[in-house]
Amino acid sequence: MTEVTREVFGHLPQKGGRGGAVEKFLLKSDSVKVEIISLGCIITALETKGRDGNLSDIVLGFDRLEGYVNKHPYFGATIGRVANRIANGKFTVEGKEYQLALNNPPNSLHGGNKGFDKVLWTPEVLLNGIRFSRMSPDGEEGYPGELKAWVTYTLDGGELVINYRAQSSNTTPVSLTNHAYFNLAGQGSHDIYDHEVSIEADSYLPVDDTLIPTGEVAAVQDTAFDLRKPVELGRHMQQFQLPGFDHNFCLERSEARRYCARAHHPPSGRTMEVYTSQPGIQFYTGNFLDGSLEGKGGSVYPKHSAFCLETQNWPDAVNKPHFPSALLRPGEEYNHTTWLKFTAA
């Protein structure tokens, strides 16, 4: 059984009369507790049990709404219309060129200046979760077409399921993900070097110095990106002199649920497995965290103090014809699901 409760988390500042109450929803099973707010469908807390049976909050974030309203690195947020980077913020659809905000110069990142992470969504409480919906107007952040979007979180025992759906009035690129930052030792722990990570991918996308894929689909064999067997992150990064990961791993293409990644923290016994219907997963090791933000309970979040496993379409796919198509056409439905399974051993 999943218990679902709601409360007011805070109020958005009135800008041009567009304030509003931000609600927080608590999803609780016998082994997992998740808190999600209606601003950006942000996961603000996620408590799972270690082998000692005790719950710890394993995602980075803030105690109060102000933290999420101010600039932050997308902690826990739903990302859209297009997750990750679009080269030079430009793309052409049906012969027309579109220009987006260059909010991560020289590229557009995570939907632009005011992406899906920074808007209020309309909540609907379900038996075992919560569904959020919104209408993204035609031209919002430079994207074509009016886009209806739904993000649904359900909790089933130790498994958190996130489903994304969208329908558009015009052809538009769409790639939705969640940007939770995890530390299985508990948020506020200093680093993730003792985590063991594996990713079920035979290839990955090399990037240029602005983190845009070069277009090459490279084999992981005999490289630092071969994570098909678990590696201890600190040791692995040291061995290959890696400043960290911020790369898309290419998954087997299939609409069905399939296993794609696992993170394990031996000291606590916590394990997270990721399953998805998406063609890619971005593995990011918090390289841009710098300890400047005050997080939950006064925690600071230095470099490499968390990791993200963002299921997604491949970055810049709208400009790379040989990548899986990112385009959603009128009459079609974008529908992807990601499952996060939490266990302790």
Side-chain angles (χ1 to χ4, degrees):
M1 276 296 293
T2 298
E3 190 186 309
V4 184
T5 54
R6 70 196 295 177
E7 63 184 69
V8 173
F9 185 59
H11 288 83
L12 288 177
Q14 297 280 350
K15 280 183 193 158
R18 288 182 66 84
V22 176
E23 284 190 282
K24 179 169 82 175
F25 298 86
L26 173 65
L27 278 47
K28 188 177 173 188
S29 73
D30 54 358
S31 58
V32 175
K33 283 173 27 183
V34 192
E35 293 178 8
I36 305 155
I37 58 174
S38 56
L39 177 73
C41 311
I42 292 170
I43 297 173
T44 56
L46 175 53
E47 295 183 26
T48 70
K49 287 181 178 174
R51 78 165 69 82
D52 60 6
N54 294 330
L55 286 166
S56 275
D57 184 0
I58 59 168
V59 294
L60 275 50
F62 303 103
D63 288 323
R64 287 182 299 279
L65 179 60
E66 297 87 87
Y68 295 105
V69 172
N70 297 332
K71 189 171 165 58
H72 69 98
Y74 305 94
F75 287 148
T78 291
I79 306 296
R81 243 181 235 199
V82 175
N84 219 296
R85 291 173 179 82
I86 293 178
N88 304 309
K90 276 191 177 72
F91 62 88
T92 299
V93 169
E94 294 173 348
K96 184 173 178 196
E97 185 176 88
Y98 294 87
Q99 177 66 59
L100 311 172
L102 305 182
N103 61 319
N104 183 242
N107 306 313
S108 188
L109 175 68
H110 290 337
N113 289 326
K114 190 177 182 182
F116 285 12
D117 59 298
K118 296 179 181 68
V119 292
L120 267 182
W121 292 64
T122 302
E124 178 195 348
V125 173
L126 308 174
L127 196 60
N128 59 344
I130 173 83
R131 177 184 297 128
F132 296 98
S133 60
R134 77 173 297 251
M135 175 73 82
S136 169
D138 182 13
E140 183 175 56
E141 283 299 320
Y143 287 96
E146 186 176 80
L147 187 83
K148 286 184 192 160
W150 297 265
V151 178
T152 306
Y153 294 89
T154 48
L155 184 61
D156 179 13
E159 195 163 82
L160 176 64
V161 186
I162 313 175
N163 173 257
Y164 306 92
R165 287 172 51 220
Q167 297 164 359
S168 183
S169 64
N170 297 67
T171 302
T172 182
V174 179
S175 179
L176 305 178
T177 193
N178 180 277
H179 211 308
Y181 285 72
F182 298 97
N183 187 317
L184 300 182
Q187 70 85 27
S189 301
H190 191 263
D191 60 58
I192 48 171
Y193 299 142
D194 58 354
H195 285 53
E196 293 171 358
V197 171
S198 56
I199 299 178
E200 193 74 7
D202 297 330
S203 52
Y204 78 103
L205 300 180
V207 292
D208 67 17
D209 55 8
T210 74
L211 298 174
I212 290 286
T214 61
E216 181 193 358
V217 180
V220 300
Q221 185 77 35
D222 301 325
T223 74
F225 298 90
D226 191 346
L227 305 178
R228 291 173 295 186
K229 293 196 175 79
V231 303
E232 187 183 287
L233 273 181
R235 194 179 295 165
H236 184 81
M237 282 160 55
Q238 201 170 15
Q239 182 189 338
F240 287 96
Q241 298 291 295
L242 275 184
F245 287 93
D246 195 358
H247 295 79
N248 178 81
F249 287 77
C250 308
L251 307 175
E252 179 198 328
R253 305 224 202 143
S254 143
E255 291 297 301
R257 166 181 167 140
R258 64 200 182 287
Y259 166 74
C260 65
R262 181 176 185 269
H264 175 61
H265 181 245
S268 68
R270 278 190 194 85
T271 298
M272 176 175 87
E273 288 181 343
V274 185
Y275 300 77
T276 192
S277 62
Q278 290 275 26
I281 187 167
Q282 185 86 2
F283 179 38
Y284 173 53
T285 48
N287 314 327
F288 294 111
L289 295 175
D290 61 5
S292 62
L293 293 172
E294 183 174 324
K296 288 180 275 193
S299 300
V300 291
Y301 301 135
K303 183 177 183 174
H304 298 156
S305 61
F307 66 91
C308 304
L309 285 167
E310 306 155 67
T311 54
Q312 58 176 14
N313 197 350
W314 300 4
D316 201 33
V318 71
N319 291 311
K320 306 273 198 297
H322 59 296
F323 284 10
S325 173
L327 296 180
L328 175 68
R329 294 176 172 83
E332 297 176 344
E333 182 170 78
Y334 174 96
N335 191 335
H336 278 289
T337 306
T338 293
W339 295 261
L340 303 175
K341 185 176 176 185
F342 301 98
T343 53

